[in-house]
PDB file of all heavy atoms in Angstrom:
ATOM      1  N   ASN A 338     -25.547 -34.613  43.483  1.00 86.00           N
ATOM      2  CA  ASN A 338     -26.080 -33.654  42.509  1.00 86.00           C
ATOM      3  C   ASN A 338     -26.936 -32.578  43.183  1.00 86.00           C
ATOM      4  O   ASN A 338     -27.880 -32.040  42.607  1.00 86.00           O
ATOM      5  CB  ASN A 338     -26.916 -34.383  41.445  1.00 86.00           C
ATOM      6  CG  ASN A 338     -27.240 -33.507  40.236  1.00 86.00           C
ATOM      7  OD1 ASN A 338     -26.384 -32.786  39.724  1.00 86.00           O
ATOM      8  ND2 ASN A 338     -28.490 -33.555  39.800  1.00 86.00           N
ATOM      9  N   ARG A 339     -26.623 -32.270  44.445  1.00 85.00           N
ATOM     10  CA  ARG A 339     -27.465 -31.344  45.193  1.00 85.00           C
ATOM     11  C   ARG A 339     -27.132 -29.899  44.845  1.00 85.00           C
ATOM     12  O   ARG A 339     -26.028 -29.567  44.448  1.00 85.00           O
ATOM     13  CB  ARG A 339     -27.306 -31.573  46.700  1.00 85.00           C
ATOM     14  CG  ARG A 339     -25.922 -31.301  47.248  1.00 85.00           C
ATOM     15  CD  ARG A 339     -25.828 -31.625  48.738  1.00 85.00           C
ATOM     16  NE  ARG A 339     -24.475 -31.479  49.253  1.00 85.00           N
ATOM     17  CZ  ARG A 339     -23.966 -30.316  49.662  1.00 85.00           C
ATOM     18  NH1 ARG A 339     -24.705 -29.227  49.632  1.00 85.00           N
ATOM     19  NH2 ARG A 339     -22.722 -30.249  50.113  1.00 85.00           N
ATOM     20  N   TRP A 340     -28.156 -29.064  45.018  1.00 85.00           N
ATOM     21  CA  TRP A 340     -27.978 -27.630  44.803  1.00 85.00           C
ATOM     22  C   TRP A 340     -27.131 -27.053  45.919  1.00 85.00           C
ATOM     23  O   TRP A 340     -27.209 -27.461  47.082  1.00 85.00           O
ATOM     24  CB  TRP A 340     -29.334 -26.940  44.781  1.00 85.00           C
ATOM     25  CG  TRP A 340     -29.260 -25.453  44.568  1.00 85.00           C
ATOM     26  CD1 TRP A 340     -29.213 -24.791  43.390  1.00 85.00           C
ATOM     27  CD2 TRP A 340     -29.224 -24.432  45.592  1.00 85.00           C
ATOM     28  NE1 TRP A 340     -29.156 -23.431  43.586  1.00 85.00           N
ATOM     29  CE2 TRP A 340     -29.153 -23.180  44.933  1.00 85.00           C
ATOM     30  CE3 TRP A 340     -29.225 -24.467  46.991  1.00 85.00           C
ATOM     31  CZ2 TRP A 340     -29.102 -21.980  45.621  1.00 85.00           C
ATOM     32  CZ3 TRP A 340     -29.172 -23.261  47.674  1.00 85.00           C
ATOM     33  CH2 TRP A 340     -29.111 -22.036  46.994  1.00 85.00           C
ATOM     34  N   ILE A 341     -26.287 -26.092  45.580  1.00 90.00           N
ATOM     35  CA  ILE A 341     -25.476 -25.409  46.577  1.00 90.00           C
ATOM     36  C   ILE A 341     -25.580 -23.907  46.332  1.00 90.00           C
ATOM     37  O   ILE A 341     -25.697 -23.460  45.180  1.00 90.00           O
ATOM     38  CB  ILE A 341     -24.002 -25.888  46.518  1.00 90.00           C
ATOM     39  CG1 ILE A 341     -23.211 -25.374  47.719  1.00 90.00           C
ATOM     40  CG2 ILE A 341     -23.340 -25.484  45.206  1.00 90.00           C
ATOM     41  CD1 ILE A 341     -21.842 -26.002  47.854  1.00 90.00           C
ATOM     42  N   MET A 342     -25.580 -23.145  47.400  1.00 93.00           N
ATOM     43  CA  MET A 342     -25.708 -21.690  47.264  1.00 93.00           C
ATOM     44  C   MET A 342     -24.573 -21.122  46.408  1.00 93.00           C
ATOM     45  O   MET A 342     -23.416 -21.513  46.560  1.00 93.00           O
ATOM     46  CB  MET A 342     -25.690 -21.016  48.638  1.00 93.00           C
ATOM     47  CG  MET A 342     -25.795 -19.502  48.572  1.00 93.00           C
ATOM     48  SD  MET A 342     -25.671 -18.699  50.193  1.00 93.00           S
ATOM     49  CE  MET A 342     -27.239 -19.195  50.908  1.00 93.00           C
ATOM     50  N   PRO A 343     -24.886 -20.217  45.490  1.00 96.00           N
ATOM     51  CA  PRO A 343     -23.829 -19.574  44.699  1.00 96.00           C
ATOM     52  C   PRO A 343     -22.863 -18.807  45.594  1.00 96.00           C
ATOM     53  O   PRO A 343     -23.165 -18.479  46.745  1.00 96.00           O
ATOM     54  CB  PRO A 343     -24.607 -18.621  43.786  1.00 96.00           C
ATOM     55  CG  PRO A 343     -26.006 -19.151  43.759  1.00 96.00           C
ATOM     56  CD  PRO A 343     -26.236 -19.770  45.098  1.00 96.00           C
ATOM     57  N   TRP A 344     -21.700 -18.510  45.053  1.00 97.00           N
ATOM     58  CA  TRP A 344     -20.740 -17.671  45.759  1.00 97.00           C
ATOM     59  C   TRP A 344     -21.043 -16.204  45.449  1.00 97.00           C
ATOM     60  O   TRP A 344     -21.002 -15.776  44.298  1.00 97.00           O
ATOM     61  CB  TRP A 344     -19.327 -17.964  45.286  1.00 97.00           C
ATOM     62  CG  TRP A 344     -18.793 -19.295  45.715  1.00 97.00           C
ATOM     63  CD1 TRP A 344     -19.291 -20.141  46.655  1.00 97.00           C
ATOM     64  CD2 TRP A 344     -17.622 -19.929  45.187  1.00 97.00           C
ATOM     65  NE1 TRP A 344     -18.526 -21.268  46.756  1.00 97.00           N
ATOM     66  CE2 TRP A 344     -17.483 -21.165  45.871  1.00 97.00           C
ATOM     67  CE3 TRP A 344     -16.679 -19.601  44.225  1.00 97.00           C
ATOM     68  CZ2 TRP A 344     -16.436 -22.056  45.611  1.00 97.00           C
ATOM     69  CZ3 TRP A 344     -15.644 -20.473  43.962  1.00 97.00           C
ATOM     70  CH2 TRP A 344     -15.529 -21.679  44.644  1.00 97.00           C
ATOM     71  N   TYR A 345     -21.328 -15.444  46.491  1.00 97.00           N
ATOM     72  CA  TYR A 345     -21.514 -14.007  46.355  1.00 97.00           C
ATOM     73  C   TYR A 345     -20.260 -13.289  46.864  1.00 97.00           C
ATOM     74  O   TYR A 345     -19.334 -13.920  47.381  1.00 97.00           O
ATOM     75  CB  TYR A 345     -22.746 -13.553  47.138  1.00 97.00           C
ATOM     76  CG  TYR A 345     -24.054 -14.007  46.503  1.00 97.00           C
ATOM     77  CD1 TYR A 345     -24.658 -15.201  46.888  1.00 97.00           C
ATOM     78  CD2 TYR A 345     -24.673 -13.243  45.514  1.00 97.00           C
ATOM     79  CE1 TYR A 345     -25.851 -15.619  46.305  1.00 97.00           C
ATOM     80  CE2 TYR A 345     -25.865 -13.658  44.926  1.00 97.00           C
ATOM     81  CZ  TYR A 345     -26.443 -14.843  45.325  1.00 97.00           C
ATOM     82  OH  TYR A 345     -27.604 -15.263  44.737  1.00 97.00           O
ATOM     83  N   ASN A 346     -20.255 -11.979  46.719  1.00 96.00           N
ATOM     84  CA  ASN A 346     -19.073 -11.200  47.088  1.00 96.00           C
ATOM     85  C   ASN A 346     -18.668 -11.443  48.544  1.00 96.00           C
ATOM     86  O   ASN A 346     -17.472 -11.557  48.853  1.00 96.00           O
ATOM     87  CB  ASN A 346     -19.344  -9.713  46.850  1.00 96.00           C
ATOM     88  CG  ASN A 346     -18.125  -8.852  47.104  1.00 96.00           C
ATOM     89  OD1 ASN A 346     -17.082  -9.033  46.502  1.00 96.00           O
ATOM     90  ND2 ASN A 346     -18.248  -7.897  48.017  1.00 96.00           N
ATOM     91  N   SER A 347     -19.651 -11.527  49.444  1.00 97.00           N
ATOM     92  CA  SER A 347     -19.328 -11.734  50.866  1.00 97.00           C
ATOM     93  C   SER A 347     -18.621 -13.066  51.083  1.00 97.00           C
ATOM     94  O   SER A 347     -17.692 -13.157  51.909  1.00 97.00           O
ATOM     95  CB  SER A 347     -20.609 -11.677  51.705  1.00 97.00           C
ATOM     96  OG  SER A 347     -21.531 -12.670  51.288  1.00 97.00           O
ATOM     97  N   HIS A 348     -19.031 -14.111  50.354  1.00 97.00           N
ATOM     98  CA  HIS A 348     -18.380 -15.415  50.499  1.00 97.00           C
ATOM     99  C   HIS A 348     -16.933 -15.359  50.008  1.00 97.00           C
ATOM    100  O   HIS A 348     -16.032 -15.971  50.612  1.00 97.00           O
ATOM    101  CB  HIS A 348     -19.137 -16.477  49.700  1.00 97.00           C
ATOM    102  CG  HIS A 348     -20.555 -16.645  50.128  1.00 97.00           C
ATOM    103  ND1 HIS A 348     -21.608 -16.614  49.235  1.00 97.00           N
ATOM    104  CD2 HIS A 348     -21.108 -16.837  51.355  1.00 97.00           C
ATOM    105  CE1 HIS A 348     -22.738 -16.788  49.889  1.00 97.00           C
ATOM    106  NE2 HIS A 348     -22.468 -16.911  51.172  1.00 97.00           N
ATOM    107  N   ILE A 349     -16.728 -14.635  48.921  1.00 97.00           N
ATOM    108  CA  ILE A 349     -15.377 -14.558  48.344  1.00 97.00           C
ATOM    109  C   ILE A 349     -14.457 -13.763  49.263  1.00 97.00           C
ATOM    110  O   ILE A 349     -13.301 -14.143  49.482  1.00 97.00           O
ATOM    111  CB  ILE A 349     -15.447 -13.936  46.946  1.00 97.00           C
ATOM    112  CG1 ILE A 349     -16.295 -14.838  46.029  1.00 97.00           C
ATOM    113  CG2 ILE A 349     -14.058 -13.756  46.348  1.00 97.00           C
ATOM    114  CD1 ILE A 349     -16.703 -14.189  44.722  1.00 97.00           C
ATOM    115  N   LYS A 350     -14.969 -12.677  49.842  1.00 96.00           N
ATOM    116  CA  LYS A 350     -14.155 -11.878  50.762  1.00 96.00           C
ATOM    117  C   LYS A 350     -13.835 -12.650  52.034  1.00 96.00           C
ATOM    118  O   LYS A 350     -12.727 -12.553  52.571  1.00 96.00           O
ATOM    119  CB  LYS A 350     -14.881 -10.571  51.095  1.00 96.00           C
ATOM    120  CG  LYS A 350     -14.965  -9.608  49.923  1.00 96.00           C
ATOM    121  CD  LYS A 350     -15.804  -8.389  50.252  1.00 96.00           C
ATOM    122  CE  LYS A 350     -15.169  -7.547  51.332  1.00 96.00           C
ATOM    123  NZ  LYS A 350     -15.951  -6.311  51.573  1.00 96.00           N
ATOM    124  N   GLN A 351     -14.797 -13.439  52.524  1.00 97.00           N
ATOM    125  CA  GLN A 351     -14.570 -14.207  53.751  1.00 97.00           C
ATOM    126  C   GLN A 351     -13.692 -15.427  53.519  1.00 97.00           C
ATOM    127  O   GLN A 351     -13.098 -15.948  54.463  1.00 97.00           O
ATOM    128  CB  GLN A 351     -15.911 -14.628  54.342  1.00 97.00           C
ATOM    129  CG  GLN A 351     -16.739 -13.475  54.884  1.00 97.00           C
ATOM    130  CD  GLN A 351     -18.165 -13.882  55.227  1.00 97.00           C
ATOM    131  OE1 GLN A 351     -18.559 -15.038  55.038  1.00 97.00           O
ATOM    132  NE2 GLN A 351     -18.959 -12.934  55.709  1.00 97.00           N
ATOM    133  N   ARG A 352     -13.676 -15.954  52.283  1.00 97.00           N
ATOM    134  CA  ARG A 352     -12.764 -17.006  51.837  1.00 97.00           C
ATOM    135  C   ARG A 352     -13.109 -18.408  52.336  1.00 97.00           C
ATOM    136  O   ARG A 352     -12.700 -19.404  51.731  1.00 97.00           O
ATOM    137  CB  ARG A 352     -11.310 -16.667  52.226  1.00 97.00           C
ATOM    138  CG  ARG A 352     -10.854 -15.300  51.814  1.00 97.00           C
ATOM    139  CD  ARG A 352      -9.502 -14.935  52.403  1.00 97.00           C
ATOM    140  NE  ARG A 352      -8.406 -15.621  51.748  1.00 97.00           N
ATOM    141  CZ  ARG A 352      -7.724 -15.125  50.719  1.00 97.00           C
ATOM    142  NH1 ARG A 352      -8.038 -13.950  50.212  1.00 97.00           N
ATOM    143  NH2 ARG A 352      -6.719 -15.803  50.191  1.00 97.00           N
ATOM    144  N   THR A 353     -13.861 -18.513  53.434  1.00 97.00           N
ATOM    145  CA  THR A 353     -14.063 -19.816  54.076  1.00 97.00           C
ATOM    146  C   THR A 353     -14.684 -20.835  53.136  1.00 97.00           C
ATOM    147  O   THR A 353     -14.222 -21.981  53.052  1.00 97.00           O
ATOM    148  CB  THR A 353     -14.952 -19.658  55.326  1.00 97.00           C
ATOM    149  OG1 THR A 353     -14.358 -18.707  56.201  1.00 97.00           O
ATOM    150  CG2 THR A 353     -15.089 -21.001  56.038  1.00 97.00           C
TER     151      THR A 353
END
Side-chain angles (χ1 to χ4, degrees):
N338 193 44
R339 64 183 175 85
W340 180 86
I341 191 170
M342 179 184 289
W344 289 346
Y345 289 93
N346 185 58
S347 59
H348 300 129
I349 298 167
K350 291 174 65 176
Q351 292 169 359
R352 309 171 75 92
T353 304

